[in-house]
Amino acid sequence: PNSWWQVELKGGVCVAPTHYAIRRGFPDTASVLRNWCLEGSTDGGATWTVLQQHTTDTTIVEQGFAWGHWQLQGGESLFNVFRVMQTGKDATGCHHESSRCGAQLPFLDIFLLDQ
C-alpha cells in the first residue's frame, strides 16, 4: 500500500471536481487498481482531503487501456493538487507497483460540470 502518483495544477488554478476518471497505461491486464483513494490538497501536498475511497472496486476491467469514471460527492471545495493513493492489493494481488506486477502510469481526468 501507499504507492501513489499526483497531478498539480499550476498558475494559481484551483478546481472543485464533480467527476473523475482513471485510464490504465498498459495494453495488458496486469496491475489493475482495486483499492485506492483520490485525495485533494491546497497546500502543495502537506495535508490531504480524501475525495473518494475505493475498496475492492472492479469498475476498471482487466484489459489493456481500460478506464473507469466516478462521480464525486460534494464538489464545493477547491483543490490544486490531486493524488491517487493505492491502499491495498491490485487485481493481481500486489500491494504496490513493482516489476513483478508490471509498472504502469495511469491517466487521471478531472471533470467540472456546469451546474
Side-chain angles (χ1 to χ4, degrees):
N2 300 328
S3 295
W4 57 270
W5 51 272
Q6 72 183 37
V7 174
E8 182 175 358
L9 306 176
K10 297 290 190 175
V13 174
C14 291
V15 297
T18 57
H19 296 72
Y20 81 104
I22 294 177
R23 182 174 69 95
R24 298 192 60 248
F26 264 168
D28 63 16
T29 61
S31 304
V32 179
L33 283 174
R34 292 292 180 245
N35 300 283
W36 77 94
C37 63
L38 175 68
E39 300 172 313
S41 177
T42 58
D43 59 9
T47 58
W48 294 95
T49 299
V50 175
L51 304 177
Q52 184 131 343
Q53 179 75 43
H54 298 267
T55 304
T56 318
D57 188 323
T58 58
T59 303
I60 304 173
V61 298
E62 294 184 49
Q63 67 183 39
F65 301 111
W67 62 279
H69 61 88
W70 300 268
Q71 182 174 354
L72 296 171
Q73 301 302 315
E76 297 88 24
S77 299
L78 295 170
F79 301 98
N80 71 321
V81 184
F82 297 91
R83 176 169 76 176
V84 174
M85 170 79 73
Q86 185 175 347
T87 58
K89 294 181 179 181
D90 63 20
T92 59
C94 292
H95 280 288
H96 55 81
E97 294 181 25
S98 67
S99 59
R100 183 174 76 82
C101 295
Q104 65 174 321
L105 179 60
F107 297 90
L108 174 68
D109 290 318
I110 302 289
F111 296 95
L112 307 172
L113 300 180
D114 291 333
Q115 299 288 326

